[in-house]
Amino acid sequence: MKRNKTKLVPVPSKAMIPDRDVARAPVLECINLGITLGGIKAVEDFNFTVGRTEIAGLIGPNGAGKTTVFNLLTKVYQPTTGTVLLNGQDTHGMNTVQVNKAGIARTFQNIRLFKNLSVIDNVKAAMNNEMKYNMLSAILRLRDYRREELAAHHRALKLLSIFDMQDMADLRAGSLPYGAQRRLEIVRALATNPSLLLLDEPAAGMNPSETAELMDSIIKVHEMFQIAIVLIEHDMSLVMNICEGICVLNFGHIIAKGTPEDIQSNPAVIEAYLGRKK
Amino acid sequence: MSEQNKKEALPQNKNGASPLLKVDNINVYYGSIHAIKGISFEVKSGEIVTLIGANGAGKSTTLNTISGLLHPTTGDINFLEHSIVKIQPHKIVEQGIAQVPEGRRIFAQMTVRENLEMGAYIQSDGNEIKNDIEKVYELFPRLKERRKQIAGTLSGGEQQMLAMGRALMSRPKLLMLDEPSMGLAPILVEQIFKIIADVHKTGATILLVEQNAQMALSIADRGYVMETGKIITTGTGKDLLSSDEIKKAYLGG
Amino acid sequence: MAIKKFINLNLKQRLSLKRTEAKKIFMTYLFVIVSFAILQGMSITGTLSSTMEGMLIPICAYSVMAVSLNLVVGISGELSLGHAGFMSVGAFTGTATAILLQNLIPLAPLRLAIAMMTGAFFAGVAGFLIGIPVLRLKGDYLAIVTLAFGEIIKSIFNNFYLGVDDYGLHASMLTDTTNLASGGRMIIQGPIGISRIAKISTFTAGFILLMIALIIVFNLVNSRFGRVFMAIRDDRIAAESIGLNITRFKMIAFVTSAAIAGAAGCLFAMNYSTIFANKFDFNTSILILVFVVLGGQGNMLGSIIAAAALTILPEKLREFADYRMLLYALILIMTMLISNNDGIKYFFQKINPFRKKQEAE
Amino acid sequence: MTFLNFFINGISLGSIYAIIALGYTMVYGIAKMLNFAHGDVIMIGAYVCFYAISRYKLPAFVGVIGAVLICTILGIIVERLAYKPLRQAPSLAVLITAIGVSYLLQNSALLMWSSNPKFFKPIIARGAFKFFDGQLSISHITILTIATCVLIMIALSVFINRSRLGKAMRACSEDKGAAQLMGINVNATISLTFAIGSGLAAIAGALLCSAYPTLTPTTGSLPGIKAFTAAVFGGIGSIPGAFLGCLMLGVIEIFAKSYISSQLSDAVVFAVLIIVLLVKPAGLLGRMTQEKV
């Protein structure tokens, strides 16, 4: 389950920040990515690279195209122009399902859990592709059914325990408090064994103390799994604290890329997004 | 007629005896879930009052109960000294309460202008509606630029402006805003709060529900802090902002 | 830390989905077996009224139909208004098979079993063919198209002629051009359907079929398949995002449901001496849907009870003669109104001791 | 020339479907329910009209107006008693209730008027305009049907797009909660929608039975289902779509009846529907709404 920790190598790279992980190919490369939705260029010339264990932030005003970028990466929309390379492999022509199998998992801006399933079944559903038993085994409860279900059960509990949620395994997912639902969505995404995790406004609707807890959880996930994480977020305390690199979108264009410090002092970003400090 | 006079007199006596809105010990249930547990508060004419608290504390439920979308099992809500708990939502709008709902809920398939017209549904004078629309356009020049656009194609910030403009079209005596800053970029949050302050300057009384406690308290006269269906603290905006307890729980200090 | 605050341990145990699920499944099997034992006992001792006796097999068939439709409507969350179409396919192909095998296999139960399997097979094939276009659609569009398919199947069987003679099978559409050699037998005769059926369906066969249907459905639901069906039902987009192939799993549910319905159709048909296509029209599809909705979506026991009750009800209402269907309609409406009334729901929640404690917290 | 005759008959049948479908889709739009009882309102309308004209010898237009009034009231009553209590209920429960109402209306009709078919006297005198030496004949009722349909279409479009109440209907169909917060009386608006839909159903009933004069308690169900199918075919929620879908369906049905087989015509109609939905999943003029992610 655990990936080996990559070495930090100081080599100049296309990955924004930090200059590491580039001994091997970056996990994600977007080259001139663009899409036209309803006659409007929702995203254009999106060039973006994420290192193998990088945490990157995607920020920008509403309607700037952040979620659209996620939808392009996960093939909810097919890009009109450009290329997405995932682990060096062109994702052209793939659909959402194939992209997930190739290693991208995501959460959603508006929580999208399987509300009527139990917490653990939400996680197990995400493990469906690693279970191989067929319908006959399921109906007759043959040995491979029992073996695979048991394995899945243990792994699901283990994943839930990262967020200290193993006690809630049998509860209905829709009955969980808001913060727990956000966490469960992350666990579900992790259950598909992604190499790149996309988080769409994970702290939306949380108060500062909940956000702080979430921040710890994201760091924990990152350290445990050594995967790349890209997050969209409006909560600047979260973004500036955990992202190593930040990319700012406005009207579908990248207006700035850099470290949190760079971004915070970038006049274009202040103008379009952050607003003047009081 | 005397009723009418009283309404107009109210804005002056800001600290006068009778509050514009008085919520008196209401209990609200969703099925068997006890969502609001006996809360009481009041909003005086001309004030900005804010309800802050965590997700699920019952802030939106409170607003929806005042609007008549939900009904309290016990307790009373008085608006202009009349009980409104048994009145249907559309009648409450006629009494002078407008709500900008959480998540904006504009009519996405209608044009910006049609949305504003719907806001003026209870008005019948065509000319006045036109004047009011112009006033809203003055307040939100962006909406004027986009008046013929289908509302669903607006950006989040513009939709929030439209939702506020739409609510103002009914000429409310009390404007209730449910999480106006939700999901907006920092720069837009600032703008929206500036607009709220502007609207307040025009004489409107505002009841504001917010997650963004910092912002909300900084413009509010008074605030109430809610937690799991109860009001746990109250005070002026300034007091609450400087309270250590509040800072710790809601302001990330 | 903050999460734990919300969840009281006792509450958690009581809300555990796993336990309630297991209990429900156990109760369902128990109910079916006990009912069968009682009814069979009464039947043998002759204490069962003849009308009731005559309804046993239809009740079984409708119960199986309801369980199979519940797999689509309740578990997979797709509204299907053409389920009678699959019943029809199963009835015609299964009965035709039984007639063809009449001399070959004199043992009636075996012949019935083979007929039901054939019916299930053809209904499954029909489900697959229909599923290709239907499952690309969503919601009410899907409902309308299944309705259309039900009507198409009805039209086809209404105009289909099949006969057998020494030279083999002969089929034609619209008009009877089979021109059978002497000694041949017409099997399906257009709008008249199949007549002179040897009634080989039995209550025991119906019971066994119902048990098999329950085992298939319950075990599927409690496997990775059911989990995926329900995941897709709850949120299609999220399901895709975790790599679930929507069309494939919808198809599995749809075909399984169709095949079970086919077997039920065969059981149903072989309980009568004649069967014709109009028997399986839109109203039948709706009737089965009513079983599912009344019994509760996803609730198999409910489906079975609703199917039994609503099969018996019109018979019991017979004494009201002309007002029978009127009363039936009124009961249907009242049931829906009452079962969805918040006040009444709340009342039941209140008298339920389990809920009361939860509220107290 | 027979082709042209069939075509015009198809348009005429399609016009009747269109009037039914308008009521169906309006109700669908605002109440988000498949009102299966709509077809039976058509039947009730036709019976009222039949009794007014044939039994009480009233002038045809009085009969039609009477039918419209009674159906309007019926629509409002049904909505208030059966559907309004289920506003918050799951959509399937509402669907089943609608089916219950459909059975109720059919069986009430059966008790009141028996299952013997009634021979409906057309609302205008029989007769036809003949062209090309009588090769092409267009009956009066055909012209009346098409004209009525076009008129209703235009009136309804103007009403929904321009009038205050029409806009309120659109607002309710989008978001009832938000509409209430605007001061719109949602219940009254829904009642109004049912009233208009049922009134239209009565007109459709009179026209349908003038063209196809046998009247029984089940007369309305199949046209009701077909009209709704046609509305889906055209793109649900779009008035021009419903219109276009219904005209096409009418033409296809008449052609299938005439050139293929009258027994299989329904199968052909439904098969075409399926093919269209495969190519255009939102119907001919429907907008594909991408669910927001």
Side-chain angles (χ1 to χ4, degrees):
Chain A
M1 192 164 74
K2 273 200 173 185
R3 277 162 224 276
N4 290 325
K5 206 157 187 163
T6 46
K7 268 191 195 161
L8 306 183
V9 229
V11 182
S13 82
K14 283 185 290 174
M16 294 188 308
I17 311 285
D19 291 337
R20 69 179 196 201
D21 298 340
V22 279
R24 294 187 294 163
V27 66
L28 177 77
E29 274 180 282
C30 303
I31 302 154
N32 295 327
L33 196 60
I35 185 171
T36 311
L37 288 173
I40 299 158
K41 285 180 175 155
V43 172
E44 210 183 356
D45 293 331
F46 186 78
N47 288 295
F48 186 65
T49 309
V50 181
R52 205 149 273 278
T53 62
E54 182 174 339
I55 301 185
L58 199 53
I59 63 172
N62 287 84
K66 304 181 299 291
T67 298
T68 310
V69 168
F70 274 16
N71 286 340
L72 285 174
L73 296 181
T74 54
K75 303 286 174 179
V76 173
Y77 303 139
Q78 291 295 338
T80 18
T81 59
T83 318
V84 178
L85 297 178
L86 183 64
N87 292 316
Q89 180 197 4
D90 193 348
T91 62
H92 182 78
M94 286 187 181
N95 61 25
T96 308
V97 172
Q98 289 161 331
V99 161
N100 173 264
K101 286 180 182 165
I104 299 184
R106 73 177 288 182
T107 67
F108 297 88
Q109 196 172 340
N110 308 309
I111 300 178
R112 285 179 171 277
L113 285 175
F114 308 129
K115 288 200 180 65
N116 297 306
L117 291 187
S118 65
V119 167
I120 197 164
D121 275 350
N122 268 272
V123 184
K124 284 188 202 163
M127 297 175 182
N128 183 65
N129 288 334
E130 38 185 274
M131 289 191 247
K132 296 286 175 249
Y133 67 83
N134 58 24
M135 277 176 76
L136 200 67
S137 301
I139 293 170
L140 299 178
R141 298 269 155 111
L142 297 182
R143 190 183 297 148
D144 53 347
Y145 162 85
R146 291 199 303 267
R147 193 189 59 229
E148 289 181 27
E149 281 292 327
L150 197 68
H153 188 77
H154 287 309
R155 197 176 145 230
L157 280 180
K158 213 165 170 184
L159 283 172
L160 283 171
S161 69
I162 300 174
F163 288 98
D164 207 8
M165 288 174 73
Q166 67 276 35
D167 290 346
M168 302 176 194
D170 289 333
L171 296 183
R172 196 176 146 269
S175 70
L176 292 185
Y178 185 82
Q181 294 199 8
R182 284 249 174 242
R183 282 157 222 263
L184 178 55
E185 233 193 351
I186 299 176
V187 176
R188 186 181 67 186
L190 285 172
T192 64
N193 282 323
S195 46
L196 172 64
L197 180 62
L198 307 178
L199 303 177
D200 199 344
E201 299 202 21
M206 288 188 179
N207 64 31
S209 61
E210 284 176 310
T211 306
E213 258 179 68
L214 176 79
M215 187 151 51
D216 294 339
S217 310
I218 294 176
I219 292 169
K220 194 171 165 191
V221 165
H222 182 243
E223 279 176 358
M224 275 182 82
F225 294 91
Q226 290 294 312
I227 56 174
I229 297 174
V230 177
L231 54 94
I232 293 176
E233 191 48 67
H234 282 309
D235 188 312
M236 284 307 112
S237 67
L238 179 72
V239 174
M240 297 301 169
N241 273 322
I242 68 171
C243 291
E244 296 154 293
I246 293 172
C247 172
V248 189
L249 273 178
N250 196 18
F251 296 115
H253 287 267
I254 293 177
I255 57 169
K257 276 197 249 185
T259 62
E261 296 73 36
D262 295 343
I263 295 296
Q264 270 167 313
S265 55
N266 184 318
V269 178
I270 292 173
E271 171 73 23
Y273 183 65
L274 291 174
R276 259 167 293 280
K277 280 264 144 75
K278 287 179 297 268
Chain B
M1 208 59 226
S2 65
E3 176 71 28
Q4 191 66 34
N5 289 338
K6 198 177 0 168
K7 280 179 205 166
E8 257 143 42
L10 273 172
Q12 273 92 50
N13 52 355
K14 188 166 177 171
N15 298 311
S18 65
L20 182 65
L21 177 81
K22 187 169 163 58
V23 174
D24 193 7
N25 197 21
I26 55 167
N27 281 286
V28 183
Y29 288 83
Y30 282 116
S32 61
I33 297 162
H34 196 172
I36 301 287
K37 299 166 184 160
I39 64 167
S40 304
F41 65 93
E42 53 185 49
V43 181
K44 293 185 188 112
S45 211
E47 273 188 320
I48 298 187
V49 172
T50 180
L51 296 180
I52 60 171
N55 213 296
K59 309 184 301 290
S60 295
T61 311
T62 309
L63 286 202
N64 288 337
T65 311
I66 297 171
S67 300
L69 295 175
L70 296 170
H71 298 284
T73 44
T74 58
D76 201 5
I77 301 172
N78 282 293
F79 184 66
L80 291 165
E81 300 186 348
H82 289 282
S83 172
I84 55 168
V85 283
K86 295 237 160 62
I87 300 181
Q88 285 182 298
H90 63 270
K91 297 272 186 199
I92 290 180
V93 180
E94 285 170 22
Q95 303 247 332
I97 299 181
Q99 183 185 350
V100 180
E102 186 179 353
R104 324 188 226 292
R105 292 173 69 177
I106 49 150
F107 301 117
Q109 317 259 343
M110 298 172 115
T111 64
V112 168
R113 201 193 152 93
E114 281 175 328
N115 265 279
L116 293 177
E117 285 170 6
M118 288 331 304
Y121 188 79
I122 56 167
Q123 316 282 17
S124 47
D125 188 333
N127 281 327
E128 287 199 18
I129 294 177
K130 265 185 202 141
N131 287 338
D132 286 354
I133 289 182
E134 285 308 316
K135 273 185 208 156
V136 170
Y137 284 160
E138 265 169 46
L139 206 54
F140 307 100
R142 266 313 255 287
L143 294 184
K144 188 169 188 177
E145 289 167 29
R146 317 221 153 192
R147 61 188 179 277
K148 287 192 178 144
Q149 205 167 318
I150 299 292
T153 62
L154 298 180
S155 75
E158 288 163 347
Q159 291 190 5
Q160 184 61 48
M161 292 177 196
L162 178 58
M164 286 170 67
R166 189 180 66 173
L168 287 172
M169 288 296 295
S170 68
R171 299 188 173 182
K173 300 186 183 72
L174 173 66
L175 180 65
M176 303 197 293
L177 300 160
D178 197 348
E179 308 254 359
S181 77
M182 192 189 216
L184 295 186
I187 192 167
L188 278 173
V189 174
E190 266 177 47
Q191 259 185 43
I192 290 289
F193 275 97
K194 195 176 161 299
I195 291 169
I196 295 173
D198 286 349
V199 170
H200 179 234
K201 272 183 209 142
T202 65
T205 309
I206 292 173
L207 176 57
L208 173 66
V209 156
E210 257 301 337
Q211 287 260 342
N212 191 334
Q214 177 89 44
M215 275 294 201
L217 289 174
S218 66
I219 64 164
D221 294 317
R222 288 184 303 117
Y224 293 89
V225 182
M226 288 189 74
E227 206 168 83
T228 57
K230 291 179 193 136
I231 288 178
I232 52 161
T233 324
T234 171
T236 64
K238 264 186 207 143
D239 288 348
L240 289 176
L241 262 181
S242 52
S243 143
D244 284 339
E245 211 178 318
I246 302 295
K247 258 188 198 165
K248 210 169 169 189
Y250 300 102
L251 305 176
Chain C
M1 193 265 308
I3 306 164
K4 277 191 176 156
K5 193 170 63 186
F6 284 91
I7 310 277
N8 178 294
L9 199 74
N10 292 327
L11 176 64
K12 191 179 71 192
Q13 281 172 346
R14 264 184 268 132
L15 289 181
S16 163
L17 282 180
K18 213 164 100 187
R19 270 184 211 192
T20 37
E21 266 317 297
K23 211 163 145 192
K24 251 192 220 162
I25 294 174
F26 176 72
M27 288 304 292
T28 310
Y29 284 130
L30 190 72
F31 175 83
V32 172
I33 293 170
V34 169
S35 310
F36 171 71
I38 293 174
L39 289 170
Q40 186 73 329
M42 285 172 77
S43 175
I44 290 168
T45 53
T47 42
L48 208 59
S49 71
S50 63
T51 38
M52 193 62 208
E53 183 98 50
M55 278 188 290
L56 291 177
I57 295 171
I59 287 175
C60 287
Y62 282 132
S63 296
V64 176
M65 288 301 292
V67 167
S68 70
L69 185 62
N70 213 335
L71 181 63
V72 171
V73 174
I75 306 294
S76 312
E78 301 288 1
L79 178 56
S80 166
L81 297 177
H83 210 52
F86 301 123
M87 196 180 184
S88 183
V89 172
F92 278 91
T93 53
T95 312
T97 310
I99 291 173
L100 290 172
L101 295 176
Q102 194 137 20
N103 299 325
L104 220 60
I105 307 174
L107 190 63
L110 180 62
R111 197 162 77 238
L112 179 66
I114 292 176
M116 287 203 284
M117 278 192 261
T118 318
F121 172 77
F122 279 102
V125 170
F128 179 74
L129 294 176
I130 292 169
I132 296 171
V134 164
L135 296 176
R136 291 174 48 187
L137 302 167
K138 280 179 229 162
D140 292 329
Y141 288 95
L142 188 144
I144 286 293
V145 170
T146 50
L147 185 159
F149 265 115
E151 293 298 302
I152 291 175
I153 290 176
K154 190 183 84 183
S155 286
I156 289 175
F157 278 119
N158 256 331
N159 292 286
F160 184 66
Y161 295 84
L162 180 74
V164 63
D165 61 14
D166 297 342
Y167 301 100
L169 282 172
H170 302 270
S172 71
M173 282 299 287
L174 286 175
T175 48
D176 182 7
T177 55
T178 45
N179 288 326
L180 299 184
S182 64
R185 177 179 173 183
M186 280 308 288
I187 301 174
I188 304 175
Q189 292 175 288
I192 308 167
I194 307 182
S195 45
R196 290 185 289 133
I197 302 173
K199 294 197 257 179
I200 51 175
S201 287
T202 60
F203 183 38
T204 311
F207 163 73
I208 293 171
L209 181 63
L210 180 55
M211 286 300 285
I212 292 175
L214 282 176
I215 290 171
I216 292 177
V217 170
F218 277 140
N219 284 0
L220 265 191
V221 167
N222 289 292
S223 73
R224 70 185 180 100
F225 295 95
R227 210 148 45 217
V228 174
F229 299 157
M230 290 187 279
I232 294 170
R233 171 195 69 191
D234 280 5
D235 199 317
R236 218 176 54 84
I237 288 171
E240 271 188 327
S241 86
I242 54 167
L244 304 179
N245 186 337
I246 309 272
T247 329
R248 179 164 164 254
F249 283 98
K250 274 190 180 175
M251 185 64 103
I252 290 173
F254 200 67
V255 170
T256 309
S257 164
I260 297 174
C266 181
L267 175 82
F268 184 82
M270 313 253 343
N271 182 43
Y272 298 98
S273 56
T274 54
I275 202 82
F276 46 91
N278 284 350
K279 188 105 186 115
F280 308 104
D281 61 354
F282 175 63
N283 286 325
T284 311
S285 295
I286 292 297
L287 185 69
I288 298 158
L289 184 64
V290 169
F291 300 154
V292 172
V293 176
L294 271 187
Q297 289 173 56
N299 183 345
M300 302 302 158
L301 179 57
S303 286
I304 295 170
I305 294 174
L310 286 192
T311 311
I312 297 170
L313 184 67
E315 291 300 322
K316 291 282 167 207
L317 289 177
R318 227 170 243 293
E319 52 185 299
F320 299 99
D322 292 345
Y323 295 94
R324 181 167 77 105
M325 287 312 287
L326 199 68
L327 282 174
Y328 179 81
L330 277 175
I331 291 172
L332 195 60
I333 297 171
M334 294 312 290
T335 317
M336 290 331 291
L337 290 185
I338 291 169
S339 63
N340 285 289
N341 185 303
D342 280 342
I344 293 168
K345 250 193 219 162
Y346 187 58
F347 173 75
F348 278 111
Q349 276 177 11
K350 262 200 153 164
I351 57 172
N352 187 340
F354 166 98
R355 295 275 180 159
K356 213 165 187 177
K357 271 186 221 152
Q358 178 191 340
E359 203 183 306
E361 276 147 20
Chain D
M1 212 43 79
T2 44
F3 174 82
L4 205 56
N5 264 323
F6 289 147
F7 184 75
I8 290 168
N9 286 341
I11 296 283
S12 167
L13 178 62
S15 300
I16 297 174
Y17 285 154
I19 300 172
I20 304 172
L22 289 180
Y24 226 131
T25 47
M26 276 173 76
V27 166
Y28 180 83
I30 200 160
K32 300 281 176 282
M33 63 172 287
L34 293 172
N35 182 14
F36 272 110
H38 194 72
D40 302 292
V41 178
I42 299 170
M43 174 271 297
I44 302 277
Y47 268 105
V48 171
C49 206
F50 168 80
Y51 275 94
I53 299 172
S54 298
R55 188 67 56 83
Y56 300 106
K57 308 286 181 219
L58 294 171
F61 76 92
V62 179
V64 175
I65 290 172
V68 169
L69 279 179
I70 289 180
C71 285
T72 305
I73 295 166
L74 180 72
I76 295 174
I77 292 175
V78 164
E79 197 275 324
R80 273 291 142 100
L81 294 184
Y83 303 147
K84 191 181 162 213
L86 295 174
R87 228 23 84 67
Q88 311 297 330
S91 61
L92 258 179
V94 190
L95 182 82
I96 301 294
T97 310
I99 288 162
V101 172
S102 165
Y103 287 168
L104 186 72
L105 293 179
Q106 275 181 28
N107 287 293
S108 308
L110 196 68
L111 284 175
M112 284 188 285
W113 302 311
S114 89
S115 59
N116 295 333
K118 304 270 185 291
F119 192 76
F120 194 90
K121 188 164 164 278
I123 48 173
I124 55 169
R126 242 177 261 285
F129 298 108
K130 304 229 186 281
F131 302 94
F132 307 108
D133 298 332
Q135 282 183 330
L136 176 66
S137 93
I138 306 175
S139 70
H140 297 160
I141 188 69
T142 302
I143 291 176
L144 178 72
T145 304
I146 296 173
T148 313
C149 174
V150 171
L151 208 69
I152 289 176
M153 268 283 303
I154 294 170
L156 209 58
S157 297
V158 171
F159 173 73
I160 287 187
N161 289 317
R162 298 259 180 268
S163 77
R164 180 164 166 268
L165 280 175
K167 284 179 189 169
M169 275 183 184
R170 281 159 62 204
C172 286
S173 84
E174 272 200 51
D175 187 335
K176 291 190 188 58
Q180 280 185 312
L181 293 177
M182 300 298 107
I184 297 171
N185 185 342
V186 170
N187 285 328
T189 311
I190 293 178
S191 285
L192 176 71
T193 313
F194 270 85
I196 294 175
S198 306
L200 291 180
I203 295 176
L207 291 171
L208 181 74
C209 289
S210 297
Y212 303 86
T214 353
L215 176 58
T216 68
T218 53
T219 293
S221 4
L222 196 58
I225 291 173
K226 275 198 216 153
F228 186 73
T229 311
V232 170
F233 184 70
I236 206 158
S238 142
I239 290 184
F243 185 63
L244 185 68
C246 288
L247 291 192
M248 284 186 65
L249 196 89
V251 172
I252 293 166
E253 183 174 337
I254 296 286
F255 279 169
K257 260 192 186 135
S258 318
Y259 292 119
I260 304 176
S261 140
S262 60
Q263 293 122 324
L264 280 181
S265 70
D266 287 348
V268 172
V269 165
F270 286 127
V272 173
L273 164 86
I274 292 163
I275 293 166
V276 167
L277 282 185
L278 279 183
V279 182
K280 296 203 63 144
L284 290 171
L285 298 183
R287 254 179 314 190
M288 198 65 198
T289 45
Q290 177 99 35
E291 199 177 341
K292 218 166 150 97
V293 181

